[in-house]
Amino acid sequence: FVTFIHTTIRFLGPAFLVPVTLGLIFFPVTLILLSKIEQDWRPVPLIALSLGALFLIHATTAAVLGFVLVVNLLMYLALFRFSGQRLLPALSCILLVPVSALAIYLWNPDLFLNQVKDILGPGMMPLPPIWYPLPQLGYILLALFILGAGFVVGKGGWRNYALLISTAVLLFFVEAYRHWFRAGPEIVYERGWLYVMLFMALIAGSGLGGLRQWGLGFFRGRRWGIALTYLVLIVIVAFALVQRMDGYKDEYYYYIIDSDTYHDFKFVREHIDQGSVALIDPYLAWGFVPISGKYAYVALAYPFGTEWAREVRGILTSGARNTDWLVENNIDIVYSYKSFQLYNPDLVEVY
């Protein structure tokens, strides 16, 4: 079910070989290693190595994995009956998050500070909000997720409770971030749906496993009952896969501008002088330049040019009132996208 995680140009996903997607592998690996700390301390250095490597690959994913690690270990300390000798691995794992961060800082302070800056994110989200991501997983997988959550609660244990708590907290954050508050790093919202979908897929898998156990127990070892159970499971997975693939066929992976914006850019190409420079949303500038044949003041290529991009969005948000700034930077065109209204009497509307 992990392959069901949605992929778009908006928040990436398994179809793109990018750092955040590679970082998703570390979550199940770390959870497996955590399950071994009940026996000894040997997983501790492997978890530390995973955290350090992940920080170098994608710092935001490392921060979220650190949160999941702390939740798991707190549940371990609270619910697992251990001797005093087994307390040390858990406590040492909790210390891995700050210790790993300190080790990377001592190794390369500039890299560490740049990664932390990326996690904190800019003051304005460069991409549009994600409104309805959960239906993209498919309603069958969502049903299996709900069923799996019930099975997980029924099984109990610190690992199961930690998995549910981590999923619930991340799901609440990404759902509530745009609707009720904007607290915390925006990059966690930007990439948070991938982590949520990963955990939901894992829990959905547990739901499928629970159905298997229930079916085998219900038929009590009868061969026809076992065959029927596995047949039903295959049908469920097949229908879930078909539903998921049907959702993918309508996905525009590189759909940056809509048709109205395309015609705006085409008008600029046909009616505006060559060599003109446009002040335009840096996100839309990638489509503006090849379609219109004109220059854009700045196009956002994260993490490069983010300061200029914030400056441009600030000017557009204020209505492009500063004529002196426009003249000083040789701006000939100001493109007002749907979310920006211009309030400058010195500008002449042409389209």
Side-chain angles (χ1 to χ4, degrees):
F1 290 130
V2 172
T3 58
F4 283 32
I5 296 176
H6 195 44
T7 295
T8 69
I9 194 67
R10 170 61 181 83
F11 58 92
L12 306 179
F16 295 133
L17 188 61
V18 291
V20 65
T21 302
L22 293 175
L24 296 178
I25 301 173
F26 288 82
F27 284 92
V29 170
T30 301
L31 292 177
I32 292 172
L33 291 174
L34 278 173
S35 66
K36 306 299 181 182
I37 65 172
E38 297 177 0
Q39 285 78 37
D40 54 44
W41 58 268
R42 282 178 290 183
V44 175
L46 294 177
I47 295 174
L49 182 63
S50 297
L51 272 176
L54 184 55
F55 189 87
L56 298 176
I57 295 173
H58 196 257
T60 303
T61 305
V64 175
L65 180 60
F67 160 74
V68 173
L69 178 65
V70 171
V71 171
N72 273 267
L73 292 169
L74 289 178
M75 296 304 297
Y76 171 74
L77 294 173
L79 300 179
F80 184 67
R81 295 181 180 180
F82 49 80
S83 62
Q85 185 180 4
R86 293 181 179 175
L87 179 63
L88 183 59
L91 293 177
S92 59
C93 275
I94 292 179
L95 294 175
L96 284 180
V97 178
V99 169
S100 299
L102 178 61
I104 294 175
Y105 174 77
L106 294 176
W107 171 60
N108 193 328
D110 292 336
L111 171 66
F112 179 85
L113 294 176
N114 287 334
Q115 295 282 38
V116 171
K117 184 179 179 181
D118 289 343
I119 293 175
L120 296 178
M124 181 179 295
M125 187 177 297
L127 298 175
I130 304 169
W131 293 114
Y132 306 108
L134 288 181
Q136 300 294 342
L137 282 172
Y139 292 105
I140 296 177
L141 188 139
L142 291 177
L144 287 174
F145 163 71
I146 296 172
L147 186 65
F151 282 129
V152 168
V153 171
K155 291 179 182 178
W158 65 272
R159 287 192 296 272
N160 291 322
Y161 289 136
L163 180 61
L164 280 178
I165 291 174
S166 300
T167 306
V169 171
L170 289 172
L171 180 59
F172 172 79
F173 180 86
V174 294
E175 276 287 357
Y177 187 87
R178 270 296 186 175
H179 296 285
W180 299 300
F181 66 86
R182 289 188 61 180
E186 291 180 348
I187 188 63
V188 177
Y189 171 81
E190 294 284 351
R191 299 291 175 254
W193 279 112
L194 294 178
Y195 314 133
V196 171
M197 291 179 180
L198 172 63
F199 286 125
M200 292 180 69
L202 295 177
I203 294 174
S206 178
L208 195 67
L211 283 177
R212 172 185 169 276
Q213 293 179 352
W214 181 85
L216 295 179
F218 180 81
F219 292 109
R220 298 180 181 179
R222 298 183 180 90
R223 290 185 178 180
W224 65 269
I226 295 174
L228 179 61
T229 299
Y230 281 105
L231 178 62
V232 170
L233 295 179
I234 291 172
V235 170
I236 291 175
V237 173
F239 272 98
L241 182 61
V242 169
Q243 186 184 54
R244 189 68 194 88
M245 292 175 65
D246 184 65
Y248 268 131
K249 70 180 178 62
D250 297 325
E251 182 61 52
Y252 296 97
Y253 291 108
Y254 300 98
Y255 195 73
I256 297 177
I257 62 174
D258 56 24
S259 58
D260 291 338
T261 307
Y262 169 79
H263 288 296
D264 291 345
F265 294 171
K266 187 177 179 181
F267 175 87
V268 172
R269 183 183 188 90
E270 296 172 350
H271 296 88
I272 305 299
D273 295 336
Q274 294 294 327
S276 299
V277 179
L279 183 70
I280 184 174
D281 186 303
Y283 182 64
L284 299 178
W286 287 107
F288 175 81
V289 175
I291 296 173
S292 70
K294 309 301 187 291
Y295 297 105
Y297 178 71
V298 63
L300 179 61
Y302 188 84
F304 307 103
T306 53
E307 294 295 332
W308 287 355
R310 284 196 289 272
E311 180 186 20
V312 167
R313 289 199 180 93
I315 293 171
L316 290 173
T317 302
S318 66
R321 302 172 187 268
N322 192 341
T323 303
D324 293 336
W325 185 92
L326 298 176
V327 173
E328 180 182 345
N329 290 277
N330 300 314
I331 302 298
D332 305 298
I333 308 167
V334 179
Y335 180 73
S336 175
Y337 191 56
K338 300 173 183 178
S339 57
F340 301 118
Q341 297 296 324
L342 302 181
Y343 303 99
N344 189 332
D346 297 324
L347 297 175
V348 178
E349 183 177 359
V350 295
Y351 184 66

